[in-house]
Amino acid sequence: MGEVPESHPRYASLMARKMLTDAAKAGMLADSALIAHGRGEAFDYLLGENTCEPARKAIVETAARLKSSENCVISVNGNTVALAGSQLIACAAVLNCPIEVNIYYRTPERMEALLSALQVQRQQAVELYPELLSQISDVEILGGAPDGRIPNLDGPRANCHSDGILSADTILVPLEDGDRCEALIAMGKTVCVIDLNPLSRTARTATVTIVDELTRCVRILLGCLRQEPAPENTDWDNEANLQDAIEVILRRFE
Amino acid sequence: MGEVPESHPRYASLMARKMLTDAAKAGMLADSALIAHGRGEAFDYLLGENTCEPARKAIVETAARLKSSENCVISVNGNTVALAGSQLIACAAVLNCPIEVNIYYRTPERMEALLSALQVQRQQAVELYPELLSQISDVEILGGAPDGRIPNLDGPRANCHSDGILSADTILVPLEDGDRCEALIAMGKTVCVIDLNPLSRTARTATVTIVDELTRCVRILLGCLRQEPAPENTDWDNEANLQDAIEVILRRFE
């Protein structure tokens, strides 16, 4: 797969697969992580593998919410680190907020692999965005020593940092599961998610849902965060925006 | 995952995941196999995880085509063996036809793992269908020593047996890729496929396309094969049947 030329029509998709299969070999992912990625691929295929207009609007709104928050956090799981760790560290640098590793199938080995990968990605982020050097160096990476719990959520995935997810007013969670999204909303947080399935419980529960592929939209999000953001839209209608994303998919079937 | 009770609403889906992750650990699958399964899961989710009426019609038609063929073959890849090897051996037993392992990313280790798995599954098939004992024992399992090539197809995936895929007039290929499906059709064969994505090139190219989840539809297919089959429908309109499957998905988005 290393031989795929950048001009290949499926270059981005093939590279994402390679990043994930490499991450699986490095012990960063749960058994079901590649299957979850495949589900996303199918929805991205239905979206035409393009960032649709409803997704662009949701990215702009997410940038506005994050910028206007008191204290925000970016929550990452294995697939997110594998696919977009460096870009999300750059986002955290611009926002001056922490990144917190929070995974469903928590084992000490996976946590260690993910925290190590993020330190490597911090260096990659500096290479990609040298102008952000000092902010990138200051990004706190949490997850290794959780001292709090998300209420009304069972198991290790509820473990979190009191100075991270627990106290944040706004949280960006790429690739969230439905139960956790509901629990975060129930805590009164502004929850911005990235989810390729506009019908999922996560997509329908979140405050702002970006229906787009992670690596594509995170680059756009970073661009928005580095500009003067649009003001937060207090009338944001997430349901209507999801319906617009569904319309994009429906056109694919015509 | 061994603890999932049969009454769990997602039992079948969770068991399929377990079969695939176990097969991956046993060296039966390519790196991208779990991702491919995830794509299928997404389409099955859109189909409501049920065998839809258009799929039932395509299963009946497939049974009729296989029964009325002169010499048919069942072509299997890694995911197919992992998910439905025993049931397909039973189908081959009823049809008195061979099973041929034909994989995209062919390595000696994967071939060996798959051929070994099929021998274990042959015993499982006998336990499941003891009344088919002698026919199951007679099923030829091909793939280990290909002596022919599918014309107009590059790479090791073109390798096949002259007394299997090469000479068959009718071929059942669960989980086929688009290039190979086109090459088989170009050879003048009747190609019956199982594909959860009704928009895929495979689905649109095949003679008969069953838009259904493999483990669900193979059980129904086996039932059809063991009954007196409906006569082959020479007016079979695959495109119209695919459109009916698409309508099922579109209703999910309403």
Side-chain angles (χ1 to χ4, degrees), chain A residues 17 21 25 31 34-35 37-39 41-43 45-46 197 199-200 246 249-250 252-253, chain B residues 17 21 25 31 34-35 37-39 41-43 45-46 197 199-200 246 249-250 252-253:
Chain A
R17 281 186 203 169
T21 52
K25 285 170 192 152
D31 280 349
L34 295 179
I35 296 175
H37 182 71
R39 285 199 300 278
E41 274 195 3
F43 282 102
Y45 164 92
L46 294 177
N197 175 2
L199 301 176
S200 78
I246 288 172
I249 292 178
L250 292 180
R252 180 86 161 101
F253 281 104
Chain B
R17 281 187 203 168
T21 51
K25 284 170 193 153
D31 280 349
L34 295 180
I35 296 175
H37 181 72
R39 286 198 299 278
E41 273 195 2
F43 283 102
Y45 163 91
L46 294 177
N197 175 3
L199 302 175
S200 78
I246 289 172
I249 291 177
L250 292 179
R252 180 85 160 102
F253 281 103

Side-chain angles (χ1 to χ4, degrees), chain B residues 26-28 108-118:
Chain B
M28 288 161 58
E109 295 75 20
R110 273 192 71 209
M111 283 304 296
E112 181 52 39
L114 289 169
L115 293 169
S116 302
L118 281 164

Side-chain angles (χ1 to χ4, degrees), chain A residues 178-192:
Chain A
D179 283 350
R180 236 185 53 128
C181 188
E182 283 183 357
L184 293 168
I185 287 282
M187 289 173 81
K189 296 184 192 301
T190 294
V191 182
C192 302

